[in-house]
Amino acid sequence: MTDFLLRQMRHGVWANEKLLDRCRALTDEQLELTVPGTYGTIRNTLAHIVASEEGYLVRLLGSLLHEPPLREQDLATLDVIAAHVVHVTSAVERLFAKGSLDPDRVIADTPLRRAGAPRFEMAAWAPAAQFVYHGIDHRSQIDTILSTHGLETLDLQVWPYAMELGASREAKEDR
Amino acid sequence: MSTPPMLRQMRHDVWATRMLLERCRSLTNEQLQLTAPGTYGSIQKTFAHIVRANEGYLNTYGVISQPFMELTASVDEIASRLARVRDAVEQLFKSKEIDFDEKIHDERRKVDMELWVPLAQFSHHGSDHRSQIGTILTLNGLEAPELDVWTYATAEGAIADF
């Protein structure tokens, strides 16, 4: 049986890729659009999603995914963000390569902790669940920005993802 | 025995909806009707939509029955229905181990699907729409609570700083 968390993380990666592809059709000016009450511009929000996901995975795996990690202050281009999505995709699969995650395993620190920053100990389920939650939250904000500015949005729910995977399909009439 | 990560995820989801609903109890009726472009609708209607959808997803597993909540429900009724959702989530994971890869026919939605799909959608859907309520609150100068997993896990004692 495929691990449920793996399914959710794969959905998150799929949604990021779809949204990035959609945003490639935007102009530079459109990528800088925002609305009050959201994280920031479309570009910054995309970078924030992916940089955070790298952070959660580094904590879960206990090692850097690559050097250097994506930093939000770098004003990353969509190409740079897309390159980091590839790192995230690979790390998600690596996380589950040896079976299910032990949700109660205590993670004592992260290799990305800056000097002088506080150290957090946490059960592994927390960064894993945060990975799933965080992406949904911020992709929703990008959807709101696009919609507010009259730009086409995407359906990034689990329903279309499952359809694409073949895990859900319209039932035959003669059933 | 470990708590299944999926149950953790769903508990966080129900917790987040409950916290946001509690926050919104201090809003006036007029404020509950606030909305923002690009969101589902008013705060009240979005809450009802979240919880009604939760009922629908859990109905797939036989742990919650119809009729589902109306979209015009009051905050009190939404809170009451959310408590039912919370109990159904616990019941779902108390029952025999579910094979989430099992394929089922869902007559209500007229689809054949694997059992993991509605539960993953449960988690996605609530987060998506709570984010919209957060945007509506902030846009209108109203405080929005922190609903991420860090906050939940800290409250659960699963995170400690040193």
Side-chain angles (χ1 to χ4, degrees), chain A residues 13-54:
Chain A
V13 169
W14 169 87
N16 285 346
E17 287 171 346
K18 290 277 189 193
L19 192 52
L20 260 170
D21 277 348
R22 164 70 188 96
C23 291
R24 283 184 187 281
L26 302 179
T27 64
D28 282 346
E29 290 71 28
Q30 288 171 328
L31 285 171
E32 299 309 317
L33 290 172
T34 187
V35 295
T38 62
Y39 177 80
T41 68
I42 292 173
R43 187 201 309 271
N44 283 352
T45 307
L46 283 169
H48 173 65
I49 292 169
V50 179
S52 299
E53 289 179 356
E54 286 191 342

Side-chain angles (χ1 to χ4, degrees), chain A residues 79-158:
Chain A
D79 282 343
V80 168
I81 297 169
H84 285 268
V85 168
V86 174
H87 295 307
V88 168
T89 306
S90 161
V92 164
E93 297 301 325
R94 211 159 59 244
L95 184 61
F96 291 90
K98 291 178 184 168
S100 292
L101 189 76
D102 174 4
D104 296 329
R105 176 172 63 90
V106 175
I107 301 174
D109 204 354
T110 171
L112 284 176
R113 183 161 64 92
R114 295 174 192 271
R119 180 175 67 82
F120 290 90
E121 284 187 2
M122 63 185 73
W125 67 263
Q130 174 69 7
F131 179 106
V132 175
Y133 165 81
H134 185 262
I136 299 167
D137 186 24
H138 287 295
R139 286 190 298 270
S140 177
Q141 293 180 346
I142 294 175
D143 182 272
T144 298
I145 296 170
L146 290 170
S147 187
T148 299
H149 291 281
L151 297 164
E152 190 188 348
T153 60
L154 297 176
D155 186 353
L156 299 174
Q157 296 184 89
V158 176

Side-chain angles (χ1 to χ4, degrees), chain B residues 88-147:
Chain B
V89 165
E90 297 299 324
Q91 189 190 336
L92 177 62
F93 284 88
K94 269 186 197 152
S95 54
K96 65 176 175 49
E97 193 169 328
I98 302 163
D99 175 5
F100 286 112
D101 288 345
E102 184 189 342
K103 289 185 174 63
I104 60 152
H105 172 67
D106 184 338
E107 182 58 31
R108 186 162 55 86
R109 298 185 184 90
K110 307 288 184 205
V111 294
D112 296 324
M113 64 181 166
E114 294 174 12
L115 265 180
W116 63 269
V117 177
L119 270 201
Q121 172 66 14
F122 180 111
S123 184
H124 177 276
H125 187 260
S127 299
D128 187 19
H129 286 294
R130 284 192 305 271
S131 181
Q132 294 179 348
I133 293 175
T135 298
I136 297 169
L137 289 171
T138 310
L139 181 64
N140 287 285
L142 299 163
E143 192 185 344
E146 188 58 77
L147 300 173

Side-chain angles (χ1 to χ4, degrees), chain B residues 56-72:
Chain B
Y57 303 138
L58 291 166
N59 176 262
T60 312
Y61 304 90
V63 289
I64 220 161
S65 57
Q66 296 197 51
F68 304 144
M69 192 177 60
E70 297 292 332
L71 290 178
T72 52

Side-chain angles (χ1 to χ4, degrees), chain B residues 6-100:
Chain B
M6 192 56 219
L7 177 54
R8 298 265 192 207
Q9 198 93 42
M10 295 181 76
R11 282 177 177 166
H12 164 256
D13 199 274
V14 172
W15 169 87
T17 303
R18 186 170 56 80
M19 295 295 277
L20 191 55
L21 197 57
E22 286 305 311
R23 158 69 187 97
C24 290
R25 278 186 183 280
S26 63
L27 301 181
T28 64
N29 283 335
E30 289 69 28
Q31 287 172 325
L32 284 171
Q33 297 311 314
L34 290 171
T35 187
T39 61
Y40 176 78
S42 70
I43 292 173
Q44 177 276 329
K45 190 177 170 190
T46 307
F47 269 123
H49 174 63
I50 292 170
V51 178
R52 179 187 162 89
N54 287 347
E55 291 180 327
Y57 303 138
L58 291 166
N59 176 262
T60 312
Y61 304 90
V63 289
I64 220 161
S65 57
Q66 296 197 51
F68 304 144
M69 192 177 60
E70 297 292 332
L71 290 178
T72 52
S74 66
V75 169
D76 280 343
E77 185 176 357
I78 295 168
S80 163
R81 291 294 190 130
L82 183 61
R84 189 170 82 125
V85 164
R86 183 195 58 209
D87 292 346
V89 165
E90 297 299 324
Q91 189 190 336
L92 177 62
F93 284 88
K94 269 186 197 152
S95 54
K96 65 176 175 49
E97 193 169 328
I98 302 163
D99 175 5
F100 286 112

